[in-house]
Amino acid sequence: ARLHYRSHANRRLRRLAVEAAKPGQDILWGEKVVGRVTSAVPGSALAYVRTEVPDDAALTVGGAEARLH
């Protein structure tokens, strides 16, 4: 119902390239929390990330650098 009345989603499910991540960890863009890891395997993770984050943004997950795919 919320998508119907507000017409957009604030987060999208995205794939991250990251060396080590654990489910539940926050994703940082600078100092701002922009998402959360939902599942992870070595080298890759799935996360809900805010739509305002550009595809080439340098993100941080648990102190490790991460990139969107």
Side-chain angles (χ1 to χ4, degrees), residues 18-22 25-28 30 37 59-66:
V18 60
E19 288 301 315
K22 296 178 184 174
Q25 284 184 316
D26 288 334
I27 301 167
L28 301 174
V37 175
L59 304 172
T60 306
V61 178
E65 184 178 327

Side-chain angles (χ1 to χ4, degrees), residues 1-57:
R2 180 176 5 153
L3 285 176
H4 176 74
Y5 292 106
R6 295 188 183 175
S7 73
H8 71 281
N10 289 331
R11 299 177 191 269
R12 293 188 312 180
L13 185 63
R14 302 292 303 270
R15 191 175 78 131
L16 296 173
V18 60
E19 288 301 315
K22 296 178 184 174
Q25 284 184 316
D26 288 334
I27 301 167
L28 301 174
W29 182 30
E31 297 294 321
K32 184 177 180 182
V33 175
V34 293
R36 179 162 290 144
V37 175
T38 59
S39 60
V41 296
S44 189
L46 290 176
Y48 281 106
V49 180
R50 293 192 62 85
T51 57
E52 69 212 30
V53 177
D55 290 339
D56 61 348

